[in-house]
Amino acid sequence: MVSGGVVAATGHPDTLRANYPQATEEHVGGVIAPPPVNAHTHLDMSAYDFAALPYFRWIPEVVIAGRERRGPQAALAGADTLARLGTGGVGDIVWSPEVMDALLGRDDLSGTLYFEVLGPVPAQADERFRVMREQVEGWRRRERPADDPRGALRVGLSPHTPFNLSSRLMRLVMDYAAGEGLPTQIHVAEHPAEVELFASGGGPIWDNRFAPLYPPTFAEVIGRVPEAGLTPVRYLDDLGVLAARPTLVHMVNVTQDDIARVARAGCAAVTCPRSNANLECGTFPWTAFAAAGVEVALGTDSVASGETLDVRGEVEFARTLYPGLDPRVIVRAAVKGGHRVLGTRAPFIRRGEEWRDEYLW
Ligand SMILES: [Zn+2]
């Protein structure tokens, strides 16, 4: 209940009706909650056109074909869009040092900027890690703490995927992040081909790689022989990566055992429902994750696959995708789940606080 621009009371509608019979009731036709958080996106791809194409066509025809459009200018335009939408915070995957520099200068952005790391050749792991650490140490001087009035803005790390880093580089990055308390995000089990790669060492991901940038076999990348039952999640768990509690993005093509491992480790998952549907990757098994007690957050992914940076679109789409899921679970993921992942604070809507229009969506 709102009176004179201030929250006068909160609670179940029946209780409010009983306690305040004189209040006039207005059906808002939406959600009353703090603004939702976009826990996974790629702002530097904001100048791309949206295209719904199967994953293995989308990468060459959209991501690679449009790479000239990627960069700080697009990232700043994406940040403008988030500000205009009143987004509650962002988890952004940052591909280049120039983009990190640009986004760290934004006073109207809060959340975590995860610097992306790739490197499948084990012999290059130590040098790649050394360069990355130097860059990250410089950026961390520009972080904003949780009590900053503009909101927290942190630097994190994103080892791209379990298959695009050598096991040595993955360990170096994750051990460093754990030691320094840096938040991390990893894309995991987005497409069924990733499961095939860990089980067989081959398939479309391996066939489509830039061969000169990779060692001769996938076993050399991951430091073990692929085998039936070796899933991307089990690989990360065996490597000690899950113990550092990275946030796992996508998690579409997973087994019940994978979900149990993630729950045991206490990792959160970020789902990008529109992107997964548009790229024909499958459907995140939300009900199974919820049953296992895994914290779930929502992200748009880039505009190239998710269509917009508005995470409300994900909430709306998730409602049609999971008709059996309590809508409050989806809204909770978009707000609280997002803040948990980013380590930021959700504003409280409670008695005596100022009412803000962005609480209605
Ligand atoms: Zn992504």
Side-chain angles (χ1 to χ4, degrees):
M1 198 173 77
V2 179
S3 173
V6 171
V7 178
T10 60
H12 193 277
D14 292 344
T15 318
L16 293 175
R17 283 183 199 113
N19 291 346
Y20 303 93
Q22 77 287 6
T24 52
E25 206 170 309
E26 192 186 332
H27 188 73
V28 296
V31 173
I32 298 175
V37 169
N38 191 345
H40 178 79
T41 185
H42 301 257
L43 289 178
D44 67 1
M45 292 173 72
S46 298
Y48 274 77
D49 292 323
F50 163 66
L53 284 174
Y55 183 82
F56 286 106
R57 283 188 58 197
W58 181 78
I59 289 180
E61 292 177 37
V62 178
V63 180
I64 296 171
R67 64 185 156 208
E68 302 288 306
R69 301 186 191 182
R70 199 166 190 173
Q73 227 180 332
L76 291 172
D80 288 341
T81 303
L82 291 183
R84 188 166 43 72
L85 292 168
T87 307
V90 67
D92 189 47
I93 305 297
V94 176
W95 190 52
S96 72
E98 294 73 26
V99 170
M100 184 65 87
D101 281 327
L103 291 179
L104 275 173
R106 291 288 296 234
D107 284 341
D108 55 356
L109 205 64
S110 71
T112 301
L113 305 172
Y114 302 90
F115 186 58
E116 192 164 63
V117 187
L118 284 87
V121 180
Q124 296 168 354
D126 291 65
E127 177 58 11
R128 190 148 299 196
F129 173 69
R130 189 190 64 74
V131 172
M132 178 220 81
R133 191 172 62 185
E134 238 173 67
Q135 290 170 318
V136 168
E137 278 165 9
W139 292 322
R140 288 187 71 194
R141 289 193 275 273
R142 297 169 62 193
E143 285 183 315
R144 298 199 307 260
D147 59 357
D148 191 289
R150 295 162 292 177
L153 188 62
R154 304 186 65 193
V155 174
L157 287 167
S158 177
H160 176 248
T161 56
F163 59 85
N164 258 335
L165 280 80
S166 64
S167 56
R168 173 153 183 88
L169 184 56
M170 181 66 84
R171 277 301 302 264
L172 285 169
V173 172
M174 291 304 295
D175 287 351
Y176 169 68
E180 297 287 320
L182 295 177
T184 50
Q185 274 198 8
I186 313 175
H187 298 92
V188 182
E190 179 177 8
H191 193 275
E194 189 174 331
V195 178
E196 185 186 350
L197 179 60
F198 279 84
S200 72
I205 292 180
W206 192 248
D207 295 341
N208 280 288
R209 76 200 184 281
F210 294 103
L213 305 178
Y214 282 75
T217 67
F218 185 57
E220 285 165 80
V221 177
I222 61 170
R224 65 188 285 182
V225 178
E227 53 175 324
L230 180 65
T231 65
V233 172
R234 203 188 112 198
Y235 162 71
L236 292 176
D237 199 11
D238 289 353
L239 199 61
V241 168
L242 297 190
R245 297 182 66 204
T247 295
L248 307 172
V249 183
H250 297 310
M251 297 295 281
V252 172
N253 297 283
V254 292
T255 64
Q256 200 52 50
D257 175 66
D258 290 339
I259 296 172
R261 286 171 187 267
V262 168
R264 252 197 315 273
C267 301
V270 180
T271 179
C272 307
R274 289 186 297 178
S275 174
N276 293 154
N278 289 328
L279 305 187
E280 297 175 23
C281 288
T283 304
F284 172 72
W286 194 323
T287 313
F289 276 94
V294 175
E295 184 87 54
V296 177
L298 281 164
T300 60
D301 225 348
S302 73
V303 297
S305 63
E307 196 165 3
T308 73
L309 293 174
D310 194 347
V311 79
R312 293 167 187 85
E314 304 298 335
V315 172
E316 219 176 303
F317 184 66
R319 287 206 57 191
T320 63
L321 205 56
Y322 306 99
L325 206 58
D326 185 336
R328 287 173 298 184
V329 170
I330 300 171
V331 171
R332 189 196 178 280
V335 181
K336 269 195 184 163
H339 281 290
R340 288 261 173 91
V341 161
L342 302 182
T344 45
R345 276 199 290 258
F348 285 111
I349 304 178
R350 60 186 167 198
R351 195 180 159 170
E353 305 263 351
E354 183 196 348
W355 169 259
R356 288 159 55 189
D357 287 339
E358 63 260 37
Y359 292 161
L360 176 61
W361 45 280

